[in-house]
């Protein structure tokens, strides 16, 4: 196992699984490729949801029990459980009238339903750990014993027997086989195949090379390179931790050589890695679920995410600019062809990414768009002798696509159990009412409570699962207070993703620290600081008077105003957080600039003008009070790791 695989196994919430050999490897390869082909076949010959979804899950669970487990090789027990999963889920495929019996299940229905729930929970435990199965069990216990809950808790209900729980969770399309699994079996597996083809076709290598060529030689080049490479690699991996680890293996040696301290280098890599699943054109798996829940096209979700993505990277670049000067970082003379030469020779790798957006814009479904883009990426591989994809590469891409979706299939099926319980018991509306009551009807306090709830949930379960649960439990509270449904879901989406860089777990940050050898806690706190603008911007689009403009809604004037003012706000916030602008910014000036950023994020014209005036005052205060460059104490402060008045001069080849 390589160092990268070891780090992924330790920090990736959706684990990579066993390294297989012999018969188990051949079995997983054949069934994995078959599962990918089945998903592609479905695009052109759709099957009924009550057939396709359980059929997909049955094979996915069988593969999961062979590919995941503590033992290095699958045991006899693994094959027995895999067979049970195939039987329990397959029963739903070959029982056409199962849905009609959901209200009055037969004995055999209940037996297979209970077995299906158990194998889904076990598959989820193997792929993501104990947290999500434990939450699912808690919901099932709540559904069964709800009649014992005191009335004063306001979440009690009459209690439901095993038959009703099985009917809701297994025998319809609202539980295990609901929308979350549908997204895994359609969007996610197809995009996973596309990502695998991009990697085999040489696109991933090109994305790293073009990033180095674009920024590597400037003073801030190494940090900018990490940000751009993280964004581009995220289109391949679709995972914050995976992008961070992959990026770290190539970017950290350069960051270290450029003079980045271990903790700051890890923070830059973690923040860059997580940004990839916040940004078009692929986003994270939860974005596909948003499209299904809102019944809008995936292109519309990309539109929602566009401005917040720009703001996220503006914030990251502000941190990079400050660190490059604070820590005497210098540029590197990287041995790579120039940007023009790289684009002329290998720029075609971008074409399939653009093609997805173009096809969505002209009316293609996301399924067909990504398949066409996958075929184009495959054909483009023949333009470079090093990366021509032969039959073996195509086969391995199909297998890799299926293997990468296994944890998500198990996660979404388990999350479907929670959704079933919430629907059956009415818990979503009850909790929404409780949140609103605790907040006293205040939208701002409700938003804060919702954000905290999603972050806490994200500490225990993967991004996709935390979004699904929060969409069922938390979103109704926001919608009840007048927030548009698309804004509520996007708010939850961002906080679900940001849980990967949030204390106290911050998996992406700890993975980055493992690469750099830095302090995990310091790396986590720095990553949190770098990404803080992303924590505040979602509040703007549900609280601010013109916040819908941040999601590209509300007319051209509203969108333009929201974009320009929010960019200035994020820049101001970056100055306040990083405390550097041609020298150290003293705390009084930072406080004034930070206050200006918050005023600007209110996105109301009069308040924005006040915010601009406050920002100007803060900048003036800084330039009047900043220490001169020859401050004799600056060397001592730098030795302690504190900001100094002016960074050391850059190397002759660097630019400021």
């Amino acid at each position: 196992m390589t160092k990268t695989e070891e780090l992924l196994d330790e920090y990736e919430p959706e684990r990579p699984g066993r390294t297989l050999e012999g018969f188990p490897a051949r079995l997983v390869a054949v069934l994995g490729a078959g599962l990918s082909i089945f998903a592609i076949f479905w695009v052109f010959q759709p099957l009924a949801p009550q057939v396709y979804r359980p059929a997909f899950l049955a094979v996915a669970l069988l593969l999961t029990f062979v590919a995941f487990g503590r033992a290095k090789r699958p045991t006899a027990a693994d094959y027995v459980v895999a067979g049970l999963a195939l039987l329990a889920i397959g029963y739903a495929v070959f029982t056409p009238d199962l849905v009609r019996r959901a209200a009055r299940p037969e004995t055999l229905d209940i037996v297979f339903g209970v077995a299906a729930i158990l194998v889904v929970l076990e598959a989820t435990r193997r792929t993501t750990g104990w947290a999500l199965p434990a939450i699912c069990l808690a919901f099932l216990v709540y559904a069964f014993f709800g009649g014992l809950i005191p009335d004063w808790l306001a979440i009690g209900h009459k209690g439901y027997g095993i038959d009703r729980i099985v009917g809701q969770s297994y025998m319809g399309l609202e539980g295990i086989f609901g929308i979350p699994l549908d997204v895994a079996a359609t969007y996610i597996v197809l995009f996973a195949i596309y990502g695998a083809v991009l990697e085999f076709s040489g696109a991933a290598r090109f994305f790293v090379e073009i990033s180095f060529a674009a920024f590597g030689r400037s003073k801030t080049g190494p940090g900018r390179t990490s940000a751009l490479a993280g964004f581009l690699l995220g289109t391949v991996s679709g995972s914050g931790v995976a992008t961070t680890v992959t990026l770290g293996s190539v970017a950290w040696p350069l960051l270290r050589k450029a003079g980045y301290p271990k903790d700051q280098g890890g923070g830059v890599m973690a923040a860059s890695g997580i940004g990839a699943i916040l940004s078009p054109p692929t986003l994270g798996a939860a974005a596909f679920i948003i499209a299904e829940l809102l019944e809008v096209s995936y292109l519309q979700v990309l539109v929602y995410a566009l401005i917040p993505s720009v703001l996220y990277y503006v914030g990251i670049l502000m941190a990079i600019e400050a660190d490059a000067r604070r820590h005497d970082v210098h540029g590197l003379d990287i041995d790579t062809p120039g940007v023009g030469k790289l684009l002329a020779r290998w720029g075609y790798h971008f074409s399939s990414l653009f093609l997805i957006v173009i096809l969505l814009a002209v009316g293609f479904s996301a399924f067909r768009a990504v398949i066409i883009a996958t075929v184009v990426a495959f054909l483009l591989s023949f333009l470079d002798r090093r990366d021509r994809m032969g039959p073996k590469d195509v086969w391995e891409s199909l297998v890799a696509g299926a293997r990468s979706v296994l944890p998500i299939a198990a996660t979404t099926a388990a999350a479907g159990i929670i959704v079933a319980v919430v629907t059956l018991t009415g818990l979503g509306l009850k909790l929404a009412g409780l949140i609103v009551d605790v907040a006293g009807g205040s939208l701002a306090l409700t938003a804060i409570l919702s954000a905290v709830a999603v972050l806490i949930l994200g500490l225990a379960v993967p991004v996709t699962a935390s979004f699904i649960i929060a969409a069922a439990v938390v979103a109704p509270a926001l919608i009840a207070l007048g927030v548009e449904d698309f804004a509520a879901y996007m708010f939850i989406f961002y906080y679900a993703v940001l849980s990967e860089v949030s204390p106290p777990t911050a998996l992406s940050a700890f993975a980055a620290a493992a690469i750099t050898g830095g302090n995990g806690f310091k790396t986590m706190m720095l990553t949190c600081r770098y990404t803080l603008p992303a924590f505040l911007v979602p509040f703007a689009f549900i609280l601010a008077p013109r916040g819908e403009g941040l999601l590209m809604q509300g007319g051209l004037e509203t969108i333009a105003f929201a974009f320009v003012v929010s960019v200035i706000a994020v820049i101001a916030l970056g100055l306040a957080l990083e405390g550097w602008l041609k020298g150290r910014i003293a705390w009084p000036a930072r406080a004034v600039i930070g206050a200006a950023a918050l005023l600007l994020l209110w996105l109301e014209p009069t308040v924005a003008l006040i915010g601009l005036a406050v920002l100007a005052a803060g900048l003036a205060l800084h330039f009047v009070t900043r220490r001169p460059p020859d401050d004799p104490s600056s060397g001592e402060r730098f030795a302690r790791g504190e900001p100094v008045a002016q960074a050391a001069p850059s190397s002759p080849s660097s630019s400021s």
Side-chain angles (χ1 to χ4, degrees), residues 2-59:
T2 66
K3 179 67 173 176
T4 298
E5 290 172 334
E6 290 175 357
L7 288 170
L8 281 174
D9 191 33
E10 182 174 0
Y11 293 105
E12 173 64 270
E14 294 167 348
R15 300 169 185 174
R18 297 173 169 127
T19 301
L20 299 172
E21 297 177 349
F23 171 75
R26 292 191 294 272
L27 177 65
V28 168
V30 171
L31 292 180
L35 189 63
S36 293
I37 293 169
F38 182 45
I40 295 170
F41 170 82
W42 172 86
V43 175
F44 299 100
Q45 293 290 332
L47 300 173
Q50 58 267 35
V51 174
Y52 177 69
R53 297 178 194 177
F56 184 94
L57 181 62
V59 178

Side-chain angles (χ1 to χ4, degrees), residues 214-227:
F215 298 124
R217 293 177 177 84
S218 66
K219 184 180 182 69
T220 56
R224 292 179 182 178
T225 294
S226 295

Side-chain angles (χ1 to χ4, degrees), residues 341-380:
K341 185 175 180 180
L342 282 171
L343 287 174
R345 178 64 184 88
W346 293 287
Y348 56 79
H349 284 301
F350 284 124
S351 59
S352 65
L353 292 172
F354 293 132
L355 183 61
I356 290 177
V357 178
I358 293 170
L359 291 174
L360 290 173
V362 299
F364 278 71
S365 69
F367 315 124
R368 297 205 174 203
V370 72
I371 286 178
I372 293 172
T374 303
V375 172
V376 169
F378 162 72
L379 294 175
L380 291 174

